[in-house]
């Protein structure tokens, strides 16, 4: 029964097999054909070598039974023909020729086996069976190899196309493999890295990395690393640093076979410890993402927040910090310090005569000379334009200050050579002494400023030390202060509106409310002249509230008249924002006038945030919960803004005018504009560029996909009536 079944299966298999029998004796052909057909094979015959070649050329066979001795065109010739034409059919030689040489030659030419004439049928079929079986195995192996190769190509493609560097480390932290990104980004080929320690790529020792590799040597499976920022060296070591976010995952036994198979012997370490599931720790799978560009933007933004980019000196913020520290230090040690206010004489005329670029060069050259007059520990900063402020800590007395001032004045007396021109400038210096003439940083700076004006009055290249007689000059601001009180009572304040347009649609989507003071004698006064004073005297609380109420009422009136709704942005001073009831005040005012909260925006500066970040987050969140938007004003001029920005519920950053103004001139500023826009996009914040004055600036900002702009190019701030006319005139 079993034998019958096997017989049936064999016949079934044979029926799929096409055999070509080749012999030059027709008698042999006929008898072999009959024999094979009896076993159910599909049989074809060729009388002689030539005919065999023709048939092989045009038909498909699984097996050739080939006679060797066939006159002119013998079996060797047929095999040579097959080899030449790439005809790949399993061949069994059937021949009376049994010399060792003949057999060897036939096998070497591609025959799979050899049957000696005369043969018994059993002998013949046994040989055919075993040959076909071997062929079957071979085919299967080839198919499998092709499959493996294909999937290996696929995986390599995926790994090499990854935007990140991908690599494998063994348990000791040496490379087993790296993808092609490693070579294109850092210059190391996978082959040269093999066996090299990951540590060798680090710019310096790194505690976390050392720790994990140390424990890894003992095959303690580690947690690996997750998004750790590392500086990795380029092969060329050009000094240009590249930063990466690196992640290392621990990998276990399974993959180790693969790691070893990557053709690189793992050091023959002792049997590794097994974990709970019986897997052993084998090494790391790592990825490294290049974050250099992001780091560069961040550090550029951070640097410019504390420095003047033209001269690379500390700016006002950094100077204020240093002065605070110096004052505290002087108090503790009973020392004197001096603050000097420096202002160049005739700088404006240099600018007007030779142009801004020479003006910029002059400022840089002046700074170089000033720095030569200073001691270590002194801080020179640029407050803007041609104004510098100098901090001299631990000074002996006023005589020392006078000496330094004299040195500075002398240092600038020699002409400057700029672009082939000889340029002369002078300098006026005012100084204030701590603690005698000012106990706080603001007062010290103000007094130094007053003394500087005194020096200007004395004539070019002068120095003046503040004394109380100069305080007279303050009377001006005291007068202003009392008048400002009246301004509120007498309804002398006005709100002007500056339109903000969308760069995509060119339509007005909002307005910023800006306060003005209509003074009965002096005419229209701009906020630059009275806001600081109002803040000092806390009158800004009343002024600010008045502006909000007035603007909300007026803009709501326009909406009621059928004007499409406009977003109203109102400036809030830090004192207002710090008030505990800020949120209620805003919400109550909006409710009182039935003003839709989603059209209201608060503009606050970054510095407000820094005092009480947690409290601010709460307030801003509750404003946001009411649908009210918050914009960061003068963005980029304050603190290193990136760290907290993403934590705050804010909607908009207002790119400061100073950056926009320099779009055509200084390259560095332009890249800050780029960096800020890129960052704002990354954080999905709206950007409003302020102070856009010409088409070049507008086009540049539009190209950067800065959504909104505001500035004289579109319109100056306008009284309500004029704004309505402006809106009506736009398509
Ligand atoms: P800000 O908030 O940065 O307002 C923008 C200032 O830039 C406005 O000056 C505006 O007139 C001016 N400006 C707009 N476009 C251009 C331009 O294309 N070129 C130039 N050169 N300037 C442009 P403004 O109205 O004199 O206000 C000065 C500052 O006073 C404001 O700066 C803001 O900090 C403060 N301020 C104004 N109104 C209020 C207010 O109601 N409350 C508070 N707390 N501060 C206010
Ligand atoms: Ca503003
Ligand atoms: Ca601003």
């Amino acid at each position: 029964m079993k034998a019958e079944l096997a017989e049936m299966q064999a016949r079934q298999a044979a029926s799929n097999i096409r055999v070509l029998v080749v012999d030059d004796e027709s008698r042999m052909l006929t008898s072999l054909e009959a024999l094979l057909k009896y076993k159910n094979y599909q049989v074809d015959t060729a009388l002689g070598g030539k005919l065999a070649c023709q048939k092989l050329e045009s038909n498909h066979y699984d097996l050739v039974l080939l006679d060797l001795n066939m006159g002119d065109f013998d079996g060797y010739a047929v095999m040579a023909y097959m080899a030449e034409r790439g005809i790949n059919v399993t061949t069994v030689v059937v021949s009376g020729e049994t010399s060792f040489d003949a057999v060897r030659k036939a096998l070497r030419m591609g025959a799979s086996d050899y049957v000696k004439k005369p043969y018994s049928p059993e002998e013949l079929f046994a040989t055919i069976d075993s040959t076909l079986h071997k062929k079957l195995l071979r085919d299967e192996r080839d198919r499998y190899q092709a499959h493996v190769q294909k999937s290996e190509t696929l995986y390599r493609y995926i790994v090499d196309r990854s935007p990140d560097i991908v690599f494998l480390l063994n348990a000791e932290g040496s490379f087993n493999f790296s993808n092609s990104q490693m070579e294109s980004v850092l210059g190391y080929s996978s082959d040269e890295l093999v066996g090299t320690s990951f540590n060798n790529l680090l710019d310096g020792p790194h505690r976390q990395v050392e720790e994990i590799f140390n424990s890894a040597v003992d095959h303690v499976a580690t947690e690996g690393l997750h998004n750790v920022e590392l500086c990795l060296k380029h092969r060329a070591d050009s000094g240009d640093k590249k930063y990466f976010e690196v992640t290392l995952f621990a990998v276990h036994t399974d993959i180790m076979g693969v790691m070893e198979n990557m053709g690189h012997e793992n050091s023959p370490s002792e049997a590794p410890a097994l974990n709970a599931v019986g897997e052993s720790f084998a090494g790391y799978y790592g990825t490294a993402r290049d974050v250099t560009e992001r780091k560069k933007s961040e550090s550029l933004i951070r640097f410019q927040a504390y420095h003047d980019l033209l001269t690379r000196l500390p700016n006002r913020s950094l100077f204020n910090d240093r002065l605070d520290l110096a004052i505290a230090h002087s108090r503790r040690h009973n020392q004197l310090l001096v603050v000097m206010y420096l202002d160049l004489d005739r700088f404006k005329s240099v600018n007007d005569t030779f142009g801004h670029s020479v003006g910029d060069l002059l400022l840089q050259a002046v700074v170089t000379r000033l720095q030569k007059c200073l001691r270590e520990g002194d801080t020179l900063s640029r407050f803007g334009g041609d104004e510098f402020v100098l901090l001299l800590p631990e000074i002996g007395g006023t005589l020392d200050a006078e000496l330094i001032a004299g040195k500075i004045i002398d240092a600038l007396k020699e002409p400057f050579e700029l672009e082939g021109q000889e340029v002369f400038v002078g300098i006026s210096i005012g100084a204030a002494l701590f603690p005698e003439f000012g106990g706080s940083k603001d007062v010290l700076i103000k007094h130094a400023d007053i003394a500087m004006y005194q020096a200007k009055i004395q004539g070019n290249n002068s120095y003046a030390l503040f004394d109380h007689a100069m305080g007279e000059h303050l009377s001006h601001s005291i007068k202003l202060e009392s008048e400002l009180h009246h301004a509120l009572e007498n309804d002398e304040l006005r709100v002007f509106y500056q339109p903000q347009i969308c760069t995509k649609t060119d339509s007005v989507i909002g307005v910023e409310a800006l306060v003005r003071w209509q003074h009965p004698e002096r005419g229209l006064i701009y906020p630059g002249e009275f806001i600081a004073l109002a803040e000092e005297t806390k009158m800004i609380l009343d002024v600010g509230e008045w502006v909000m109420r007035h603007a909300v009422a007026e803009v709501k009136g326009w909406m009621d008249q059928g004007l499409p709704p406009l977003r109203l942005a109102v400036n809030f001073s830090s004192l207002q924002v710090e008030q505990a009831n800020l949120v209620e005040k805003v919400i109550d005012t909006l409710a009182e006038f039935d003003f839709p909260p989603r059209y209201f925006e608060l503009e606050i500066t970054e510095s407000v945030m820094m005092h009480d970040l947690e409290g601010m987050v709460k307030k801003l969140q509750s404003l946001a919960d009411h649908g009210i938007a918050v914009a960061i004003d003068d963005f980029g001029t304050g603190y290193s803004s990136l760290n907290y920005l993403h934590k705050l519920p804010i909607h908009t950053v207002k790119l400061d005018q100073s950056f926009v103004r320099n779009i055509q001139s200084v390259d560095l500023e332009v890249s800050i504009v780029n960096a800020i826009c890129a960052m704002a996009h990354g954080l999905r914040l709206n950007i409003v560029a302020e102070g856009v004055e010409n088409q070049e600036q507008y086009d540049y900002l539009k190209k950067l996909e800065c959504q909104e702009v505001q500035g004289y190019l579109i319109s100056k701030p306008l009284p309500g009536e004029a704004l309505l006319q402006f809106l009506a005139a736009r398509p």
Side-chain angles (χ1 to χ4, degrees), residues 110-291:
S112 301
D113 215 334
Y114 199 99
V115 182
K116 189 177 65 142
K117 283 181 188 168
Y119 47 80
S120 68
E122 290 75 27
E123 211 179 322
L124 177 71
F125 288 120
T127 309
I128 289 177
D129 281 352
S130 98
T131 305
L132 287 176
H133 184 65
K134 271 188 264 173
K135 173 175 150 48
L136 200 73
L137 290 179
R138 221 172 25 242
D139 286 353
E140 229 160 63
R141 191 199 58 205
D142 289 352
R143 251 200 321 276
Y144 178 71
Q145 262 175 359
H147 174 75
V148 167
Q149 204 162 25
K150 223 165 94 186
S151 84
E152 146 107 20
T153 314
L154 180 67
Y155 283 119
R156 191 163 281 265
Y157 178 85
I158 294 170
V159 167
D160 280 344
R161 284 305 164 98
S162 154
D164 300 339
I165 295 177
V166 175
F167 54 92
L168 294 173
L169 302 178
N170 66 13
E172 284 76 29
S174 298
F175 283 97
N176 266 333
F177 165 80
S178 60
N179 69 348
S180 61
Q181 284 294 344
M182 175 67 93
E183 186 156 9
S184 55
V185 177
L186 285 176
Y188 305 97
S189 73
S190 184
D191 285 344
E192 79 182 312
L193 273 186
V194 168
T196 313
S197 165
F198 180 74
N199 281 322
N200 292 350
L201 259 59
L202 291 180
D203 191 45
H206 191 278
R207 189 185 50 81
Q208 254 176 304
V209 175
E210 267 168 22
E211 267 172 20
I212 71 154
F213 289 155
N214 283 342
S215 48
V217 173
D218 305 326
H219 292 278
V220 178
T222 62
E223 288 284 296
L225 287 183
H226 292 279
N227 287 330
V228 172
E229 201 173 283
L230 298 176
C231 182
L232 301 182
K233 283 187 291 196
H234 191 276
R235 188 173 185 277
D237 211 2
S238 52
D240 240 10
K241 298 209 163 164
K242 280 195 162 283
Y243 291 87
F244 295 84
E245 232 162 56
V246 175
T247 294
L248 297 176
F249 300 102
V251 291
H252 293 94
T253 341
D254 292 11
I255 199 160
M256 184 160 83
V258 179
M259 286 170 88
E260 281 174 345
N261 280 343
M262 298 201 122
H264 322 308
E265 346 46 284
N266 264 341
S267 56
S269 40
E270 334 78 75
L274 299 183
N275 71 3
V277 220
E279 296 171 318
S280 75
F281 169 65
Y284 296 96
Y285 166 77
T287 62
R289 170 162 300 178
D290 190 346
V291 294

Side-chain angles (χ1 to χ4, degrees), residues 316-536:
R316 196 187 290 259
S317 308
L318 183 52
F319 182 85
N320 281 337
D321 286 354
R322 298 238 176 116
L323 182 53
D324 270 337
L325 287 176
I327 288 176
H329 186 269
S330 298
R331 275 223 175 87
R332 221 174 307 124
H333 297 91
N334 252 330
Q335 286 167 336
L336 304 174
L337 71 79
V338 160
V339 170
M340 285 188 181
Y341 214 107
L342 290 65
D343 189 289
L344 298 185
D345 304 326
R346 290 187 308 271
F347 179 71
K348 192 174 172 322
S349 79
V350 172
N351 248 348
D352 293 347
T353 320
F354 303 109
H356 278 282
S357 63
V358 171
D360 286 351
L361 289 175
L362 176 61
L363 289 171
Q364 288 169 331
V366 164
V367 167
T368 310
R369 289 200 197 166
L370 290 180
Q371 274 165 332
K372 292 205 176 106
C373 304
L374 305 180
R375 309 164 300 173
E376 210 181 321
D378 296 346
T379 299
L380 178 65
S381 72
R382 182 173 175 221
F383 266 36
D386 59 346
E387 292 178 23
F388 300 89
V389 179
L390 175 59
L391 162 65
L392 305 168
E394 300 179 25
I395 203 154
T398 50
L399 266 181
D400 287 356
E402 207 174 318
L403 225 67
I404 294 173
K407 240 165 97 179
I408 290 174
I409 290 170
D410 285 344
L412 299 192
K413 277 187 177 150
E414 286 288 305
F416 292 86
E417 271 274 331
L418 302 170
E419 290 185 348
Q421 325 260 10
E422 271 205 344
V423 179
F424 290 87
V425 282
I427 192 161
S428 300
I429 305 175
L433 186 69
F434 171 90
E436 203 181 339
F437 292 108
S440 78
K441 92 179 166 237
D442 293 335
V443 175
L444 266 175
I445 295 172
K446 195 158 79 188
H447 285 175
D449 190 11
I450 291 170
M452 190 273 291
Y453 271 105
Q454 196 62 47
K456 283 253 185 227
I457 293 164
Q458 291 165 20
N460 288 342
N461 283 331
S462 298
Y463 164 75
L465 182 68
F466 180 86
D467 64 46
H468 285 302
M470 291 180 189
E472 296 290 296
H473 291 266
L474 293 174
S475 61
H476 166 70
S477 55
I478 290 167
K479 187 153 166 258
L480 206 66
E481 186 183 331
S482 78
E483 286 179 339
L484 190 53
H485 274 293
H486 295 303
L488 271 165
E489 287 160 17
N490 301 344
D491 215 13
E492 289 167 12
L493 296 183
R494 305 280 177 269
V495 175
F496 279 35
Y497 300 92
Q498 188 174 35
Q500 301 172 322
I501 67 161
C502 167
T503 53
K504 278 212 189 91
T505 62
D506 217 33
S507 55
V508 178
I509 46 179
V511 291
E512 177 179 0
L514 293 157
V515 70
R516 303 285 181 263
W517 178 2
Q518 188 66 54
H519 192 281
E521 290 134 37
R522 294 168 45 200
L524 198 65
I525 304 183
Y526 285 82
E529 277 193 60
F530 64 91
I531 289 288
L533 182 73
E535 279 174 339
E536 235 170 79

Side-chain angles (χ1 to χ4, degrees), residues 71 540 671:
I540 192 70
S671 60

